[in-house]
Amino acid sequence: MKNLKKSFLFFIALLCSSFHQGQEKIDSLRLYSELVLHPNKGDDLISSYNFFKRVYIKSLNDDDKSETIYALWHIASAEFKMGFYNESEESSIKALELCDKMDDSEYLRDLKKGIYNHLGILYRRKKLTDEAIEFYRKTFELVRNKKDSITVFNNIANTYLDNRLYSKAKVILEGSLSQLNIEYDTILRALVLDNLGIVKSEINKEEGLNELKESLVLRKAKKNFSEVYLSYYNLSNFYRKNFELEKSKEYALKSLEIANGLNSVAYKQKTLGLLVELSDNEHVRLYKKINDSIIKAHEISSNKFAFLKYNTVKQEQETEHEKKQKQLFQFIGSLILLISFGGYFFYRERNKKKIVENVIQTEGRISKTVHDVIANDLYQIMSKIQLKDSATDEVLDDLDAVYLKARNISRDNYVIDEEMSFSEILNDMFESYQTNKVSIASQVNTFDWSGVSIHKRNMLYRVLKELLTNMAKYSEATLVTIVFKQKGKKVEVLYKDNGVGCLLTKRNGLVNAENRIKSVDGKIIFESEPGIGFITKIII
């Protein structure tokens, strides 16, 4: 009995010890993750880097892929903030390679979302615009809440800023800011304000100061020194461009003081470069300009290797997987062909009849619309002409209105054939919905439509038109992204906007869209809630 009591007490002690160790590990991960995101002292980044290096080595030995990926992501973040960009890229690609070996899960998607966003920021810093946009789009596909969406929009706006597309950047940032109240997320609001201040100052040198100063106040209140550094640096740049050199130098020195406190090589180099530009010595300024050009050329020539290697390996793996799938499908297909051959002729004749009936119904519907809309309007115009007092201008206006209605009917029933460039047709449609308030981003020009049938192109064109029409009428969106992907023999289309969203019901053209996609054996999924925008996934 005595021994039993001792064993029980030992078991309880062991259980408590294990729980304590587990909780201690979780607390350490949270602490050092926060230090990577928001370093406040000179050794924060170094101590965090060393901590996650230890976690990385242990998780490798334990074959814990999730923890290895988590550690590599934070190692990459620390390397980036310390100025080691190529090393940060290598760590990120290692993490993605491990992600490809794991089964899909919500946690894995969160990890990939963070890594994709980090690579977008990294490639933007390296002036690789196409690569940055690609990873921001990958990030956006995994986003499921307003905060993350605004973060991605902010990063896309920064990329537009780099390419001097200031109006587009401004529309995105102002739309993001309107969705953030002061209590929502102070750090994110400060980030959007800071970037909006920069964009406004590029459009008009005298604008943007209020946003830059408001961002600094918010960051100081949060004691987020790595972000305070950026505010000081951007204020210095603002005053430099407005030739207020004393104020520019004052803020540059403040940013250098924080860079020294954080012991960040990248921050020190960036601020010292700004101080050189403020120097009176012409030779010193010329030296910096030449040195910057050399550094940029070196980065562009050397920084694509890791991502290129990762893409090559991944394509080889996908090719091998597709080969095995193809062999399996060929076997199954042959079996199905033998079983279903007898019923082929019966279904073919029945489907032919259905197709003919659908065509007749469609033509009748179009004919009725033209008769009801055009014929009635023409009758009224003819009646006006018969009246002697009818004004010529009024008649011409009415005729013009009839013409516009006829043109709209023609567009709604637009038929695409093999001779037309589908990419150009989609681009023209996207441009027709783009305004000063709405930006539409898509990589349609790089997509190969040769393997997509004419029937599928026609249905996809009409569905996208319905989605954009709903967006223009109801959503109040400022940014729409439309991404096209080849998934084997299928095409996946992901539509997203940052509008007000809605409660999903069978209205607003959703039934029509479902019927069109089903008619070409496709699949369409809608996701939306008030306040988080509208998402549509189409597979055809």
Side-chain angles (χ1 to χ4, degrees), residues 380-496:
Q380 291 176 12
I381 294 169
M382 291 171 63
S383 298
K384 288 182 181 180
I385 293 173
Q386 290 174 355
L387 297 174
K388 292 182 180 181
D389 296 335
S390 181
T392 303
D393 287 344
E394 184 182 356
V395 173
L396 290 174
D397 288 342
D398 289 341
L399 285 171
D400 187 58
V402 174
Y403 164 74
L404 290 174
K405 289 179 182 179
R407 187 185 65 178
N408 288 338
I409 293 170
S410 175
R411 282 184 175 178
D412 287 341
N413 295 279
Y414 191 54
V415 179
I416 298 161
D417 60 38
E418 290 283 1
E419 302 299 320
M420 300 175 180
S421 169
F422 192 49
S423 293
E424 289 181 10
I425 290 169
L426 289 178
N427 258 332
D428 288 343
M429 179 172 70
F430 297 161
E431 286 179 9
S432 70
Y433 285 92
Q434 193 156 265
T435 66
N436 290 334
K437 294 183 178 179
V438 180
S439 180
I440 299 177
S442 172
Q443 90 300 11
V444 65
N445 289 328
T446 62
F447 194 84
D448 181 12
W449 295 100
S450 58
V452 182
S453 71
I454 289 300
H455 299 301
K456 290 182 178 180
R457 293 186 211 177
N458 273 285
M459 291 305 159
L460 183 57
Y461 172 86
R462 283 162 172 73
V463 169
L464 288 175
K465 192 173 190 302
E466 287 174 1
L467 291 174
L468 289 169
T469 299
N470 277 2
M471 177 276 298
K473 286 182 177 179
Y474 311 114
S475 78
E476 300 176 17
T478 59
L479 176 66
V480 178
T481 62
I482 304 173
V483 180
F484 301 89
K485 283 186 178 180
Q486 190 71 45
K487 296 284 188 179
K489 292 185 178 181
K490 296 284 187 179
V491 176
E492 183 181 291
V493 184
L494 186 66
Y495 166 98
K496 285 189 176 185

Side-chain angles (χ1 to χ4, degrees), residues 240 245 273-292:
R240 179 181 63 83
L245 302 186
L274 182 56
L275 286 167
V276 166
E277 289 183 24
L278 294 169
S279 170
D280 295 330
N281 191 316
E282 184 180 344
H283 297 297
V284 172
R285 291 200 304 271
L286 181 60
Y287 169 78
K288 180 185 181 295
K289 187 175 181 181
I290 293 171
N291 189 54
D292 287 348

